[in-house]
Amino acid sequence: MKVQIETMNRGAMMVATLHGELDHHAAENVRGTLDREIEATKVDCLILDLRGVTFMDSSGLGVILGRYKKMQAISGELVVTSLSKPVERLFEMSGLHKIMKIYKDRETAIKALKEVTK
Amino acid sequence: MKTANSMSMTFSALSENEAFARVAVAAFVAQLNPTLEELTEIKTVVSEAVTNCIIHGYGEIEGDIYLQCKILGDSIELVVEDHGIGIDDLDLVRQPLYTSRPELERSGMGFTIMESFVDEFAVESVVGKGTKLRFKKRIRTPQSATHHEV
C-alpha cells in the first residue's frame, strides 16, 4: 500500500492519500508513516483520502480509528474522504461514520476545514 | 446431486498471505458468477478470518493456516482453521468492538463483519488446540437463479 502525503494551508493541513489494499499486513506501515508525518509536521488537520483504497477490512478501521484518536489527543482533527461503497459500509457497520466527519472528496473537505480554521 | 467442487490450501500464518488467501478464494468462487458486492464480502470474510488466525491464534508463534472452500449448488462453504491457542470465551469475542489486543489498535469489528457478510457462521474452539471458523454463503446472482429454474 502506498501513502502519498501533501501538506497545505501553510502547513496546518495534511492530506494523506492511500492507494492499494488496507489490511492487517499493510496496517503497520500505514500507521508508522502517518504517525511520523503527524509528529514531524504538527498539523492540526489530517485529511485521509481513501479514493485509492481497493480493499479494506477491520484492520483498516483500526488504523483509521487509531489515527483519529491520535489527532484528538493533540487537539487536532482527522476527517476522511472519497469512501468507496464497501468502505462506507464498514464505516456504518462499526459506527465510525457517527464519530468522524466524512466528505465526498478532498476538495470539499479542504474547503470545509479552511472555513473552520479561518 | 452433483459432487461438490472443493479446494483446500495450507499456508504459513504470515500477514503477507492475507491478500493471497482472499484472492485465491475469490478466484475459486468466481465460477458462481457472484456480484462485485458478494465477491467483496467473501474477500473481506477471508481476510478477517485469516487475520484472526495470525494475530489471535498464533500471535508470536509460527504455524499454518488451513483453508477449505466448497461449492455446493449456489452456495459456498468456507472453513478457516488454525492450531493456535484457541478462544476461551466465545460469547465475548463475538461482541462488537471487543478486542483482546487493544494495544494493536484492533477495531474489534472482525466477528461482526464476518457475521454480517455470510448466511451462516459458526466458531469451534478448544483452548490450547486451535480455532475453526465455518461459513456458508449463498450467491444470489440472477445467473444462478435462472440456472435453478431450468
Side-chain angles (χ1 to χ4, degrees), chain B residues 82-149:
Chain B
D82 68 64
H83 295 168
I85 59 163
I87 302 168
D88 191 21
D89 188 340
L90 285 175
D91 289 330
L92 185 63
V93 299
R94 291 178 82 142
Q95 300 280 330
L97 305 175
Y98 169 78
T99 177
S100 60
R101 308 289 303 269
E103 76 282 7
L104 294 180
E105 290 192 338
R106 307 299 309 159
S107 65
M109 285 304 293
F111 271 72
T112 307
I113 291 172
M114 290 190 281
E115 255 171 348
S116 319
F117 285 181
V118 296
D119 296 306
E120 285 173 44
F121 174 40
V123 192
E124 294 161 32
S125 192
V126 179
V127 173
K129 294 256 188 240
T131 303
K132 194 185 260 189
L133 303 180
R134 293 175 183 278
F135 308 92
K136 220 172 171 176
K137 184 176 178 66
R138 229 189 99 209
I139 303 299
R140 295 172 173 85
T141 56
Q143 217 146 331
S144 64
T146 324
H147 177 77
H148 272 264
E149 279 162 23

Coordinates of all heavy atoms in Angstrom, one line a residue, chain B residues 82-149:
Chain B
D82 N -7.0 -22.7 12.5 CA -5.6 -22.6 13.0 C -5.4 -23.6 14.1 O -6.4 -24.1 14.7 CB -5.3 -21.2 13.4 CG -6.0 -20.7 14.7 OD1 -5.8 -21.3 15.7 OD2 -6.8 -19.8 14.6
H83 N -4.2 -24.0 14.4 CA -3.8 -24.8 15.5 C -3.1 -24.0 16.6 O -2.1 -24.4 17.2 CB -3.0 -26.0 15.1 CG -3.7 -26.9 14.1 ND1 -3.1 -27.9 13.4 CD2 -5.1 -27.0 13.8 CE1 -4.0 -28.5 12.6 NE2 -5.2 -28.0 12.8
G84 N -3.7 -22.9 16.9 CA -3.1 -21.9 17.8 C -3.7 -22.1 19.2 O -4.1 -23.2 19.6
I85 N -3.7 -20.9 19.9 CA -4.1 -21.0 21.4 C -5.5 -21.2 21.7 O -5.9 -21.6 22.8 CB -3.6 -19.7 22.1 CG1 -4.3 -18.5 21.5 CG2 -2.1 -19.6 22.1 CD1 -4.2 -17.2 22.4
G86 N -6.4 -21.0 20.7 CA -7.8 -21.2 20.9 C -8.5 -20.0 21.6 O -7.8 -19.1 22.0
I87 N -9.8 -20.1 21.7 CA -10.5 -18.9 22.3 C -11.2 -19.4 23.6 O -11.9 -20.5 23.6 CB -11.6 -18.4 21.3 CG1 -10.9 -17.9 20.0 CG2 -12.4 -17.2 21.9 CD1 -11.9 -17.6 18.9
D88 N -11.0 -18.7 24.7 CA -11.6 -19.1 26.0 C -13.1 -18.8 26.0 O -13.9 -19.7 26.4 CB -10.8 -18.3 27.0 CG -11.1 -18.8 28.4 OD1 -11.6 -19.9 28.5 OD2 -10.9 -18.0 29.4
D89 N -13.5 -17.6 25.7 CA -14.9 -17.1 25.8 C -15.4 -16.7 24.5 O -15.2 -15.6 24.0 CB -14.9 -15.9 26.8 CG -16.3 -15.6 27.2 OD1 -17.3 -15.9 26.4 OD2 -16.5 -14.9 28.2
L90 N -16.2 -17.7 23.9 CA -16.7 -17.4 22.5 C -17.7 -16.3 22.5 O -17.8 -15.6 21.5 CB -17.2 -18.7 21.9 CG -16.2 -19.8 21.5 CD1 -16.9 -21.0 21.1 CD2 -15.4 -19.2 20.3
D91 N -18.5 -16.2 23.5 CA -19.5 -15.1 23.5 C -18.9 -13.8 23.5 O -19.3 -12.8 22.8 CB -20.5 -15.3 24.7 CG -21.3 -16.5 24.6 OD1 -21.7 -16.8 23.4 OD2 -21.7 -17.1 25.6
L92 N -17.8 -13.7 24.3 CA -17.1 -12.4 24.4 C -16.5 -11.9 23.1 O -16.7 -10.7 22.7 CB -16.0 -12.5 25.5 CG -15.3 -11.2 25.9 CD1 -16.2 -10.2 26.5 CD2 -14.1 -11.5 26.9
V93 N -15.8 -12.8 22.4 CA -15.2 -12.4 21.2 C -16.2 -12.0 20.1 O -15.8 -11.3 19.1 CB -14.2 -13.4 20.6 CG1 -13.1 -13.7 21.6 CG2 -14.9 -14.7 20.2
R94 N -17.4 -12.5 20.2 CA -18.4 -12.1 19.2 C -19.1 -10.8 19.4 O -19.8 -10.3 18.6 CB -19.4 -13.2 19.1 CG -18.8 -14.5 18.5 CD -19.9 -15.6 18.4 NE -20.7 -15.5 17.2 CZ -21.1 -16.5 16.5 NH1 -20.7 -17.8 16.8 NH2 -21.9 -16.4 15.5
Q95 N -18.8 -10.2 20.6 CA -19.3 -8.8 20.9 C -18.7 -7.8 20.0 O -17.5 -7.7 19.8 CB -18.9 -8.4 22.3 CG -19.5 -9.3 23.4 CD -20.9 -9.1 23.7 OE1 -21.4 -7.9 23.6 NE2 -21.6 -10.1 24.2
P96 N -19.5 -6.9 19.4 CA -19.0 -5.9 18.5 C -18.0 -5.0 19.4 O -18.3 -4.7 20.6 CB -20.2 -5.0 18.1 CG -21.3 -5.9 18.3 CD -21.0 -6.8 19.4
L97 N -16.9 -4.6 18.8 CA -15.9 -3.7 19.4 C -15.1 -4.3 20.5 O -14.2 -3.7 21.0 CB -16.6 -2.4 19.9 CG -17.4 -1.6 18.9 CD1 -18.1 -0.4 19.6 CD2 -16.6 -1.1 17.8
Y98 N -15.4 -5.6 20.8 CA -14.5 -6.3 21.8 C -13.2 -6.7 21.1 O -13.2 -7.2 20.0 CB -15.1 -7.5 22.4 CG -14.1 -8.3 23.2 CD1 -13.7 -7.9 24.4 CD2 -13.4 -9.4 22.6 CE1 -12.7 -8.6 25.1 CE2 -12.4 -10.1 23.3 CZ -12.1 -9.7 24.6 OH -11.1 -10.4 25.2
T99 N -12.0 -6.4 21.7 CA -10.8 -6.9 21.2 C -9.9 -7.3 22.4 O -9.9 -6.6 23.4 CB -10.0 -5.9 20.3 OG1 -8.8 -6.5 19.9 CG2 -9.8 -4.6 21.0
S100 N -9.2 -8.4 22.2 CA -8.3 -8.9 23.3 C -6.9 -8.2 23.1 O -6.1 -8.4 23.9 CB -8.2 -10.4 23.2 OG -7.6 -10.8 21.9
R101 N -6.8 -7.5 22.0 CA -5.5 -6.9 21.7 C -5.6 -5.4 21.4 O -5.3 -4.9 20.3 CB -4.8 -7.6 20.5 CG -4.7 -9.1 20.6 CD -3.7 -9.6 21.6 NE -2.3 -9.0 21.4 CZ -1.4 -9.6 20.7 NH1 -1.6 -10.8 20.1 NH2 -0.2 -9.1 20.5
P102 N -6.1 -4.6 22.4 CA -6.3 -3.2 22.1 C -4.9 -2.5 21.8 O -4.9 -1.5 21.1 CB -6.9 -2.6 23.4 CG -6.6 -3.7 24.5 CD -6.5 -5.0 23.8
E103 N -3.8 -3.0 22.3 CA -2.5 -2.4 22.0 C -2.2 -2.5 20.5 O -1.3 -1.7 20.1 CB -1.5 -3.0 22.9 CG -0.9 -4.4 22.5 CD -1.9 -5.6 22.8 OE1 -3.0 -5.4 23.3 OE2 -1.5 -6.7 22.6
L104 N -2.8 -3.4 19.8 CA -2.5 -3.5 18.4 C -3.5 -2.6 17.6 O -3.5 -2.7 16.3 CB -2.7 -4.9 17.9 CG -1.7 -5.9 18.5 CD1 -1.9 -7.3 17.9 CD2 -0.2 -5.5 18.2
E105 N -4.3 -1.8 18.2 CA -5.3 -0.9 17.5 C -6.2 -1.7 16.7 O -6.5 -1.4 15.6 CB -4.6 0.1 16.6 CG -3.9 1.2 17.4 CD -3.4 2.3 16.6 OE1 -3.3 2.2 15.4 OE2 -3.2 3.4 17.1
R106 N -6.7 -2.9 17.3 CA -7.7 -3.6 16.6 C -9.0 -2.9 16.7 O -9.3 -2.3 17.8 CB -7.8 -5.1 17.2 CG -6.5 -5.8 17.2 CD -5.9 -6.0 15.9 NE -6.8 -6.6 14.9 CZ -6.7 -6.5 13.6 NH1 -5.6 -5.9 13.1 NH2 -7.6 -7.0 12.9
S107 N -9.9 -3.0 15.7 CA -11.1 -2.3 15.9 C -12.2 -3.1 16.6 O -13.2 -2.6 17.1 CB -11.7 -1.9 14.5 OG -12.0 -3.1 13.8
G108 N -11.9 -4.4 16.7 CA -12.9 -5.3 17.4 C -14.1 -5.5 16.6 O -15.2 -6.0 17.1
M109 N -14.0 -5.3 15.3 CA -15.2 -5.5 14.4 C -15.1 -6.7 13.5 O -16.0 -7.0 12.8 CB -15.3 -4.3 13.4 CG -15.8 -3.0 14.1 SD -17.4 -3.3 14.9 CE -18.4 -3.5 13.4
G110 N -14.0 -7.5 13.7 CA -13.8 -8.7 12.8 C -15.0 -9.7 12.8 O -15.5 -10.0 11.8
F111 N -15.4 -10.1 14.0 CA -16.5 -11.1 14.1 C -17.8 -10.5 13.6 O -18.6 -11.2 12.9 CB -16.6 -11.6 15.5 CG -15.8 -12.8 15.8 CD1 -14.4 -12.7 15.9 CD2 -16.3 -14.1 15.9 CE1 -13.6 -13.8 16.1 CE2 -15.5 -15.2 16.1 CZ -14.1 -15.0 16.2
T112 N -18.1 -9.2 13.9 CA -19.3 -8.6 13.5 C -19.4 -8.5 11.9 O -20.4 -8.8 11.3 CB -19.4 -7.2 14.0 OG1 -19.2 -7.2 15.4 CG2 -20.7 -6.5 13.7
I113 N -18.2 -8.2 11.3 CA -18.2 -8.1 9.9 C -18.4 -9.5 9.3 O -19.2 -9.7 8.3 CB -16.8 -7.5 9.4 CG1 -16.8 -6.0 9.8 CG2 -16.6 -7.7 7.9 CD1 -15.5 -5.3 9.6
M114 N -17.7 -10.5 9.8 CA -17.8 -11.9 9.3 C -19.3 -12.3 9.4 O -19.8 -12.9 8.4 CB -16.9 -12.8 10.1 CG -15.5 -12.6 9.8 SD -14.4 -13.9 10.4 CE -14.2 -13.5 12.1
E115 N -19.9 -12.1 10.5 CA -21.3 -12.5 10.7 C -22.3 -11.8 9.7 O -23.2 -12.4 9.2 CB -21.8 -12.1 12.2 CG -21.8 -13.3 13.0 CD -22.0 -13.0 14.5 OE1 -21.9 -11.8 14.9 OE2 -22.3 -13.9 15.2
S116 N -22.0 -10.5 9.5 CA -22.9 -9.8 8.6 C -22.8 -10.2 7.1 O -23.7 -10.0 6.4 CB -22.6 -8.3 8.7 OG -22.4 -7.9 10.0
F117 N -21.6 -10.6 6.7 CA -21.4 -10.9 5.3 C -21.7 -12.3 4.8 O -21.5 -12.6 3.7 CB -19.9 -10.5 5.0 CG -19.6 -9.0 4.9 CD1 -18.4 -8.5 4.6 CD2 -20.7 -8.1 5.1 CE1 -18.1 -7.2 4.5 CE2 -20.4 -6.7 5.0 CZ -19.2 -6.3 4.7
V118 N -22.1 -13.2 5.8 CA -22.4 -14.5 5.3 C -23.8 -14.9 5.9 O -24.4 -14.2 6.6 CB -21.4 -15.6 5.9 CG1 -20.0 -15.3 5.3 CG2 -21.3 -15.5 7.4
D119 N -24.3 -16.1 5.4 CA -25.6 -16.5 5.8 C -25.5 -17.3 7.1 O -26.4 -17.3 8.0 CB -26.3 -17.3 4.7 CG -26.5 -16.5 3.5 OD1 -27.1 -15.4 3.7 OD2 -26.1 -16.8 2.4
E120 N -24.5 -18.1 7.2 CA -24.3 -18.9 8.4 C -22.8 -18.8 8.9 O -21.9 -18.8 8.1 CB -24.6 -20.4 8.1 CG -26.0 -20.7 8.0 CD -26.3 -22.2 7.5 OE1 -25.6 -23.1 8.1 OE2 -27.1 -22.3 6.6
F121 N -22.6 -18.8 10.2 CA -21.3 -18.6 10.7 C -21.2 -19.4 12.0 O -22.1 -19.3 12.9 CB -21.1 -17.1 11.0 CG -19.8 -16.7 11.7 CD1 -18.6 -17.4 11.4 CD2 -19.8 -15.7 12.6 CE1 -17.4 -17.0 12.0 CE2 -18.6 -15.4 13.3 CZ -17.4 -16.1 13.0
A122 N -20.2 -20.2 12.2 CA -20.0 -21.0 13.4 C -18.5 -21.0 13.8 O -17.6 -21.0 13.0 CB -20.5 -22.4 13.2
V123 N -18.3 -21.0 15.1 CA -17.0 -21.0 15.6 C -16.8 -22.2 16.5 O -17.7 -22.5 17.4 CB -16.7 -19.7 16.5 CG1 -15.2 -19.6 16.8 CG2 -17.2 -18.5 15.9
E124 N -15.8 -23.0 16.3 CA -15.4 -24.1 17.2 C -14.0 -23.8 17.7 O -13.2 -23.5 16.9 CB -15.4 -25.4 16.5 CG -16.7 -25.9 15.9 CD -16.5 -26.9 14.8 OE1 -15.6 -27.7 14.9 OE2 -17.3 -26.9 13.9
S125 N -13.8 -23.9 19.0 CA -12.5 -23.6 19.5 C -12.2 -24.4 20.8 O -13.1 -24.6 21.6 CB -12.4 -22.1 19.8 OG -11.0 -21.8 20.0
V126 N -11.0 -24.9 20.8 CA -10.5 -25.6 22.0 C -9.3 -24.9 22.5 O -8.3 -24.8 21.7 CB -10.3 -27.1 21.7 CG1 -9.8 -27.8 23.0 CG2 -11.5 -27.8 21.1
V127 N -9.3 -24.5 23.7 CA -8.1 -23.8 24.3 C -6.9 -24.7 24.2 O -7.0 -25.8 24.6 CB -8.4 -23.3 25.7 CG1 -7.1 -22.7 26.4 CG2 -9.5 -22.2 25.7
G128 N -5.8 -24.2 23.6 CA -4.6 -24.9 23.5 C -4.5 -25.8 22.3 O -3.5 -26.4 21.9
K129 N -5.7 -25.9 21.5 CA -5.7 -26.8 20.3 C -5.9 -25.9 19.1 O -5.4 -26.3 18.0 CB -6.8 -27.8 20.4 CG -6.6 -28.8 21.6 CD -6.2 -30.1 21.0 CE -6.2 -31.2 22.1 NZ -4.9 -31.8 22.2
G130 N -6.7 -24.9 19.1 CA -7.0 -24.1 17.9 C -8.4 -23.7 17.7 O -9.3 -24.0 18.6
T131 N -8.6 -23.0 16.6 CA -9.9 -22.5 16.3 C -10.3 -22.8 14.9 O -9.5 -22.7 14.0 CB -9.9 -20.9 16.5 OG1 -9.5 -20.7 17.9 CG2 -11.3 -20.3 16.3
K132 N -11.6 -23.1 14.7 CA -12.1 -23.4 13.4 C -13.3 -22.5 13.1 O -14.3 -22.5 13.9 CB -12.5 -24.8 13.3 CG -12.8 -25.4 11.9 CD -13.3 -26.8 11.9 CE -12.2 -27.8 11.7 NZ -12.7 -29.2 11.5
L133 N -13.2 -21.7 12.0 CA -14.4 -20.9 11.7 C -15.0 -21.5 10.4 O -14.4 -21.8 9.5 CB -13.9 -19.4 11.3 CG -13.1 -18.7 12.4 CD1 -12.7 -17.3 11.9 CD2 -13.9 -18.5 13.7
R134 N -16.4 -21.6 10.5 CA -17.1 -22.1 9.3 C -18.1 -21.1 8.8 O -18.8 -20.5 9.6 CB -17.9 -23.4 9.8 CG -17.1 -24.6 10.2 CD -18.1 -25.6 10.7 NE -17.4 -26.8 11.2 CZ -16.9 -27.7 10.4 NH1 -17.2 -27.7 9.1 NH2 -16.3 -28.7 10.9
F135 N -18.1 -21.0 7.5 CA -19.0 -20.0 6.9 C -19.8 -20.7 5.8 O -19.3 -21.5 5.1 CB -18.3 -18.8 6.3 CG -17.3 -18.2 7.2 CD1 -16.0 -18.6 7.2 CD2 -17.7 -17.1 8.0 CE1 -15.0 -18.0 8.0 CE2 -16.7 -16.5 8.8 CZ -15.4 -16.9 8.8
K136 N -21.1 -20.2 5.6 CA -21.9 -20.6 4.5 C -22.5 -19.3 3.9 O -23.0 -18.5 4.6 CB -23.0 -21.5 4.9 CG -23.2 -22.7 4.0 CD -24.2 -23.7 4.6 CE -24.6 -24.7 3.6 NZ -25.4 -25.7 4.2
K137 N -22.4 -19.2 2.6 CA -22.9 -18.1 1.9 C -23.6 -18.5 0.6 O -23.0 -19.2 -0.2 CB -21.9 -17.0 1.7 CG -22.4 -15.7 1.1 CD -21.2 -14.7 0.9 CE -21.7 -13.4 0.3 NZ -22.7 -12.7 1.1
R138 N -24.8 -18.0 0.4 CA -25.5 -18.3 -0.9 C -25.2 -17.1 -1.8 O -25.2 -16.0 -1.5 CB -27.0 -18.3 -0.7 CG -27.6 -19.5 -1.3 CD -29.1 -19.5 -1.3 NE -29.6 -19.0 -2.5 CZ -30.7 -18.3 -2.7 NH1 -31.4 -18.0 -1.6 NH2 -31.1 -17.9 -3.9
I139 N -24.8 -17.5 -3.1 CA -24.6 -16.5 -4.1 C -25.9 -16.2 -4.8 O -26.5 -17.1 -5.4 CB -23.5 -16.9 -5.1 CG1 -22.2 -17.3 -4.4 CG2 -23.3 -15.9 -6.2 CD1 -21.6 -16.1 -3.6
R140 N -26.4 -15.0 -4.6 CA -27.7 -14.7 -5.2 C -27.7 -13.9 -6.5 O -28.2 -12.8 -6.6 CB -28.5 -13.8 -4.1 CG -28.8 -14.6 -2.9 CD -29.4 -13.7 -1.8 NE -29.8 -14.5 -0.6 CZ -29.0 -14.8 0.3 NH1 -27.7 -14.4 0.3 NH2 -29.4 -15.5 1.4
T141 N -27.0 -14.4 -7.4 CA -26.9 -13.7 -8.7 C -28.1 -14.1 -9.6 O -28.6 -15.2 -9.5 CB -25.6 -14.0 -9.4 OG1 -25.5 -15.4 -9.6 CG2 -24.5 -13.5 -8.6
P142 N -28.5 -13.2 -10.5 CA -29.6 -13.6 -11.4 C -29.2 -14.8 -12.2 O -30.1 -15.7 -12.5 CB -29.7 -12.4 -12.3 CG -29.0 -11.3 -11.6 CD -28.1 -11.9 -10.7
Q143 N -28.0 -14.9 -12.5 CA -27.5 -16.1 -13.4 C -27.7 -17.4 -12.7 O -28.2 -18.3 -13.3 CB -26.0 -15.9 -13.6 CG -25.6 -16.3 -15.0 CD -24.5 -15.5 -15.5 OE1 -24.3 -14.3 -15.2 NE2 -23.7 -16.1 -16.4
S144 N -27.4 -17.5 -11.4 CA -27.6 -18.8 -10.7 C -29.1 -19.0 -10.5 O -29.5 -20.2 -10.4 CB -26.8 -18.8 -9.4 OG -27.3 -17.8 -8.5
A145 N -29.9 -17.9 -10.3 CA -31.3 -18.1 -10.2 C -31.9 -18.7 -11.4 O -32.7 -19.7 -11.3 CB -32.0 -16.8 -9.9
T146 N -31.5 -18.2 -12.6 CA -32.0 -18.8 -13.9 C -31.6 -20.2 -14.0 O -32.5 -21.1 -14.3 CB -31.4 -18.0 -15.0 OG1 -31.2 -16.7 -14.7 CG2 -32.2 -18.1 -16.3
H147 N -30.4 -20.5 -13.6 CA -29.9 -21.9 -13.7 C -30.8 -22.8 -12.9 O -31.0 -24.0 -13.3 CB -28.5 -21.9 -13.1 CG -27.8 -23.2 -13.1 ND1 -27.3 -23.8 -14.2 CD2 -27.6 -24.1 -12.0 CE1 -26.8 -25.0 -13.8 NE2 -27.0 -25.2 -12.5
H148 N -31.3 -22.4 -11.8 CA -32.1 -23.3 -10.9 C -33.5 -23.5 -11.5 O -34.1 -24.5 -11.2 CB -32.2 -22.7 -9.5 CG -31.0 -23.3 -8.7 ND1 -31.2 -24.4 -7.9 CD2 -29.7 -22.9 -8.7 CE1 -30.0 -24.6 -7.4 NE2 -29.1 -23.7 -7.8
E149 N -34.0 -22.5 -12.2 CA -35.4 -22.6 -12.7 C -35.4 -23.7 -13.8 O -36.5 -24.3 -14.0 CB -35.8 -21.3 -13.3 CG -36.3 -20.3 -12.2 CD -36.4 -18.9 -12.7 OE1 -36.4 -18.7 -13.9 OE2 -36.3 -18.0 -11.8

